[in-house]
Amino acid sequence: MIGTSISPRNENFWQVIQSYYLLTKPRIIPLLLITTTASMFMAGKGTVDPLLLIMTLLGGTLAAASAQTFNCVYDQDIDYDMKRTRKRPIPSGRVQSNHAIIFGIFLAILSFSILVIAVNLLSALLAMTGIVFYMLIYTHWLKRHTSQNIVIGGAAGAIPPLVGWAAVTGDLSWSAWALFTLIFLWTPPHFWALALMISDDYAEVGVPMLPVVEGVESTVKQIWIYTWITFAFSLIFIYPLHSAGFVYFSFALILGLTFIYKAWQLLQQPEKKDCAKSMFKYSILYLMLLCSGIVVDSWQLSHQLTDSFDRQIMALLNLWLNFC
């Protein structure tokens, strides 16, 4: 009779694999890949080579995993002090720092190699820039020294759309930089909502997140302002860039107004962590669905719908002008 139990050696092996996997903070990566995908479909006007898409997303995944691994190494002291993060692989002792550094370097080299060979040099360089910016600018310089850390540091999370655009076109257009800016503007209300939920943890380890330094009410007001700016900027793809059409406009309008409503609810009850949690969760859904709107809008059927809508608008406008 063959036994079904797992041997201690195999169990230890899978525990090691799981520990290194958790070093990469895998829950963060899918959102980065969604923004990359949206950028590629917008750049390709709805047509993207499947192999190119897979290789770009694979390279992007490895780059993001590398950045998060280095972040875990650098932040191991505060991760140990915070109850929320004490069980992460390094502070818990499951992975040694020097091994994590080697793992992060390996991921970065693998990411660069895949992007250079299967995509292009520009996308590879942009991915490496994201790792360097996240580590040197955000993690090392900003995170522990200024309450504006996430505002400036948000640029690191906004690089994946540039990687995606460069993968398809080999260059960076105004629309690519607009996607970068949209993610950059979206990051503060998204992350500050999270910071409101765990502000006590940040205060305990001396990380100057906005709620810790300037208080809850000031943070909520900043979230309100940035949410409005994000919504307004999301419409730039309609005009003046003309890189998206009616389908995207519908997504941006409905999602954006709901985003503003969530921010308004938080503004009315700044001390209520449930409101901050709702804002945080919706901010993720907002970006995911907005990127989905970009993809759907790029399809040929959506172009036909947009053209039909434009013709109807022009007909109504001409009718009104003739009437006047």
Side-chain angles (χ1 to χ4, degrees), residues 56 63 92 106 138 150 186 210 246 264 267 284 289 299 301-302:
T56 304
S92 66
F106 170 75
Y138 173 67
I150 201 62
W186 165 87
L210 193 63
F246 176 72
W264 180 83
L267 190 65
I284 298 173
L289 293 180
W299 295 341
L301 182 61
S302 298

Side-chain angles (χ1 to χ4, degrees), residues 57 59 67 83 95 115 173 250 253 281 299 305:
L57 295 182
K83 294 179 181 179
V95 176
L115 290 173
S173 69
S250 301
L253 184 64
K281 287 186 173 181
W299 295 341
L305 179 61

Side-chain angles (χ1 to χ4, degrees), residues 15 18 36 47 64 72 122 139-140 205 207 230 293-294 316-317:
Q15 286 176 347
Q18 183 184 41
T36 305
T47 304
C72 284
L122 179 57
T139 303
H140 174 68
V205 296
V207 175
T230 301
I294 291 174
L316 290 173
L317 181 59

Side-chain angles (χ1 to χ4, degrees), residues 65-77:
S66 173
Q68 296 301 337
T69 298
F70 290 135
N71 176 262
C72 284
V73 174
Y74 192 90
D75 279 349
Q76 60 182 292
D77 56 335

Side-chain angles (χ1 to χ4, degrees), residues 6-23 87-90 92-96 103:
I6 300 175
S7 69
R9 181 177 297 179
N10 288 338
E11 186 176 358
N12 289 337
F13 173 77
W14 287 113
Q15 286 176 347
V16 171
I17 295 297
Q18 183 184 41
S19 295
Y20 278 91
Y21 173 70
L22 292 175
L23 270 180
K87 293 183 179 180
R88 285 179 175 172
I90 295 178
S92 66
R94 300 198 306 274
V95 176
Q96 295 181 24
F103 180 58

Side-chain angles (χ1 to χ4, degrees), residues 23-40:
L23 270 180
T24 66
K25 300 182 183 178
R27 289 186 298 176
I28 296 174
I29 295 175
L31 197 58
L32 302 177
L33 300 183
I34 289 171
T35 62
T36 305
T37 301
S39 177
M40 294 181 74

